[in-house]
Amino acid sequence: MYILKNIKIYSPMCTEEEEAHVDPCKQFWHPGFDARFPNMNQTRRCWQNYVDYLRCQEVLGEDHEPCEYFKKTYKFLCPGFWIEKWDDQVANGIFPRPKYHD
């Protein structure tokens, strides 16, 4: 977090200790290029990263650090109301995705 004209801006990538040593302009994270989704419309990429995050958690466990990449990517690309809707569907067991473990 850093303060810009009395506005607090939180960075999803840095802890408070790291932020003290990092230039604020370098804190903003964005997903890199993904050759599977070369077009301007990133809707499919948003959904695919959400599904990849769920699959990663299911296969490797919920506390697996590399799964956070998928989470950061879908949170960056997807509108919040889509994520809320999908989270509700996952909680109710009706989200349309393949299950890898029973």
Side-chain angles (χ1 to χ4, degrees):
M1 175 187 71
Y2 65 95
I3 298 175
L4 178 65
K5 294 185 181 178
N6 297 325
I7 299 172
K8 293 182 180 179
I9 300 175
Y10 294 91
S11 172
M13 293 293 292
C14 300
T15 64
E16 288 186 24
E17 297 84 29
E18 292 171 334
E19 288 176 356
H21 306 313
V22 178
D23 179 16
C25 295
K26 294 181 181 179
Q27 288 185 7
F28 297 104
W29 180 88
H30 63 87
F33 177 74
D34 189 339
R36 299 176 297 170
F37 309 102
N39 299 324
M40 192 76 130
N41 187 343
Q42 295 292 295
T43 304
R44 173 74 177 166
R45 184 178 181 190
C46 155
W47 183 84
Q48 187 62 53
N49 277 281
Y50 185 83
V51 171
D52 287 345
Y53 175 70
L54 294 176
R55 179 176 53 208
C56 184
Q57 282 192 322
E58 195 172 313
V59 172
L60 301 174
E62 291 188 16
D63 296 331
H64 198 65
E65 181 78 24
C67 296
E68 291 301 309
Y69 171 78
F70 298 117
K71 184 176 184 177
K72 289 175 189 165
T73 302
Y74 82 72
K75 285 190 174 273
F76 184 86
L77 295 172
C78 303
F81 67 94
W82 286 5
I83 296 169
E84 290 174 13
K85 179 180 176 183
W86 294 340
D87 287 342
D88 290 342
Q89 290 176 342
V90 168
N92 294 326
I94 58 172
F95 184 74
R97 70 178 176 104
K99 297 217 175 191
Y100 296 94
H101 295 285
D102 288 331

